[in-house]
Amino acid sequence: MLGRAIGSFGKALGDRRWKAFGAGLEGISKEKVDVVVIGAGVVGLAVAREMALKGRDVLVVESASTFGTGTSSRNSEVIHAGIYYPPNSLKARFCVKGRELLYRYCADRQIPHQQIGKLIVATSVSEVPKLSILLRCGTDNGVKGLRMMEGSEAIRMEPKLHCVKALLSPCSGIVDSHSFMLSLAGEAENARAIFSYKSTVLGGHVEDNHLRLHISESKDLENHDDASPLLPQLVLIPKLVINSAGLSAFPLAKRFHVI
Ligand SMILES: Cc1cc2nc3c(=O)[nH]c(=O)nc-3n(C[C@H](O)[C@H](O)[C@H](O)COP(=O)(O)OP(=O)(O)OC[C@H]3O[C@@H](n4cnc5c(N)ncnc54)[C@H](O)[C@@H]3O)c2cc1C
């Protein structure tokens, strides 16, 4: 519902209207803050925790009523090994390093997780070359322990499999994503991060070299008719903004204007 509201808001507000809207903010309260993290998915939570632990004053602005209600609670909860990304890409490097950090984080805090390993299978001979490519790519990425096995060996591990060969990835695993996010949120709060739920970043504008964020209560977006521009209740003037709004991050960034 809220996602739809944000979407239609973005569409309804063409550039011209947005600029007029950006210029008419005189009567609206403004507040200077240190760091604003937009979105409390797993990425926003991890960033907020880290920044707060480093002594920054962090405000997390989340449009939903709690953290982790978006993609972060609708995924497969797999801890990926780092096999698929192109070698030397940031994704490959972060996936491999992030996996090690995630296992350590979960083990230290008894967050439910298990390094159960994964089998990537070729169900016909024609698929075997693809497994070889993945083996090479994963090895180049620094993924340890990857091993090609005959179908019969894989089927002994998982009798319901039908495959001719399999690639074993022993360092893949699973994690209870909600417990993980709960832990990140708790540690962020303990380090004095403040969470403002049901609050939406509508957009923003750059003034005096600073991005100013336009904030509204989420319920106002839900009730808003597209005919008139929606005024924010608050303008935040942060020193640093982290746009971790997930799939909304790009559309939101397009609503940051120079006026
Ligand atoms: C089907 C599927 C399976 C997946 N499986 C895995 C897996 O097994 N392992 C894995 O590691 N990854 C997996 N992923 C990917 C993973 O889930 C995502 O990369 C991750 O959850 C993204 O987190 P996020 O914090 O960037 O985004 P999100 O979880 O979407 O968080 C963004 C937050 O920003 C808020 N927000 C948006 N716009 C605004 C705004 N304007 N103002 C304020 N708040 C706003 C939203 O409400 C939301 O809470 C999977 C993804 C999918 C779709």
Side-chain angles (χ1 to χ4, degrees), residues 120-185:
I120 306 162
V121 299
T123 54
S124 66
V125 177
S126 66
E127 289 179 347
V128 173
K130 286 186 196 158
L131 285 190
S132 305
I133 291 169
L134 288 180
L135 172 61
R136 201 164 47 243
C137 188
T139 307
D140 287 349
N141 286 345
V143 180
K144 302 265 184 308
L146 290 175
R147 180 167 72 84
M148 197 73 91
M149 54 172 57
E150 291 305 321
S152 53
E153 188 182 352
I155 289 165
R156 274 201 299 280
M157 291 173 77
E158 283 296 333
K160 290 196 173 160
L161 271 181
H162 295 278
C163 64
V164 292
K165 273 198 190 262
L167 177 61
L168 174 68
S169 165
C171 58
S172 303
I174 49 174
V175 61
D176 175 348
S177 57
H178 192 79
S179 301
F180 175 47
M181 288 192 284
L182 191 59
S183 174
L184 292 174

Side-chain angles (χ1 to χ4, degrees), residues 31 37 124 186 228:
E31 226 172 282
V37 175
S124 66
S228 55

